[in-house]
């Protein structure tokens, strides 16, 4: 005698015949409950499980490779995007005329940037000198006023 269940949660299919992605309903409710309990007691484990679940249940070897790639890019102090961008642009475009033009333009922009930085430093020094001169002028006016007030107190009024 063979028993077979035709209930939807036993077969992993709904009444309409669709398959459940994450398994039958009782398994999902247990999984959600376990995640809630894990968040209550130890949230890093629950968060890791949710990330693993949302990423499509990758195999642990895939996760290891992903961590290895991100730490290798991070160890050099650059992002993976910067490393990929640099890898594609190191050798140039293959068009020697364009590569020479691009190099000349980059050098011109770098020289212009240096000139602007120098002008910025010169202007900052000029502003500092103006502030110093204004402060000196105000200080001299204050001292002259104070001397005048001290001089008038020191002379007898007859």
């Amino acid at each position: 005698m063979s028993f077979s269940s035709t209930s939807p949660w036993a077969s992993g299919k709904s009444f309409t015949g669709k398959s459940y992605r994450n398994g039958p309903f009782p398994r999902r409710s247990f999984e959600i409950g376990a995640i809630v309990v894990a968040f209550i007691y130890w949230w890093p484990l629950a968060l890791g499980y949710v990330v693993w679940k949302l990423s499509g249940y990758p195999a642990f070897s895939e996760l290891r490779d992903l961590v290895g790639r991100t730490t290798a890019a991070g160890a050099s102090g650059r992002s993976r995007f910067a490393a990929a961008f640099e890898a594609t642009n190191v050798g140039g475009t293959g068009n020697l005329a364009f590569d020479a033009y691009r190099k000349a333009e980059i050098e011109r922009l770098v020289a212009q940037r240096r000139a602007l930085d120098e002008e910025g430093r010169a202007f900052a020094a000029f502003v500092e000198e103006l502030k110093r001169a204004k402060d000196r002028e105000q200080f001299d006016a204050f001292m002259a006023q104070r001397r005048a007030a001290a001089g008038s107190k020191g002379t007898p009024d007859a």
Side-chain angles (χ1 to χ4, degrees):
M1 187 169 183
S2 159
F3 293 103
S4 67
S5 176
T6 58
S7 64
W9 53 83
S11 65
K13 295 186 176 189
S14 68
F15 290 110
T16 60
K18 290 174 135 182
S19 290
Y20 289 110
R21 178 171 185 252
N22 295 333
F25 179 73
R27 183 175 146 212
R28 269 201 258 155
S29 60
F30 174 73
E31 186 177 33
I32 291 169
I35 290 172
V36 169
V37 169
F39 267 112
I40 291 170
Y41 287 106
W42 202 47
W43 66 268
L45 179 66
L47 185 64
Y49 179 74
V50 168
V51 167
W52 180 65
K53 181 176 176 60
L54 290 176
S55 64
Y57 299 103
F60 290 112
S61 61
E62 293 173 1
L63 289 175
R64 193 171 351 122
D65 293 342
L66 176 67
V67 169
R69 282 193 309 261
T70 55
T71 54
S76 64
R78 298 176 310 177
S79 67
R80 289 188 316 169
F81 175 74
F85 180 75
E86 194 173 284
T88 59
N89 288 326
V90 168
T93 62
N95 186 330
L96 297 178
F98 178 75
D99 289 343
Y101 166 76
R102 184 174 70 173
K103 184 177 178 185
E105 284 297 307
I106 289 173
E107 289 171 358
R108 182 184 65 79
L109 290 172
V110 167
Q112 190 175 16
R113 177 63 185 212
R114 274 192 233 117
L116 283 173
D117 288 343
E118 182 58 37
E119 286 179 14
R121 283 191 290 274
F123 182 72
F126 173 73
V127 168
E128 280 298 314
E129 187 59 36
L130 282 178
K131 286 180 185 177
R132 200 172 297 119
K134 184 178 178 184
D135 288 348
R136 173 56 68 186
E137 182 182 311
Q138 288 175 345
F139 177 72
D140 290 343
F142 171 75
M143 290 305 288
Q145 182 184 14
R146 202 167 150 99
R147 283 188 201 117
S152 66
K153 284 185 181 179
T155 59
D157 292 328

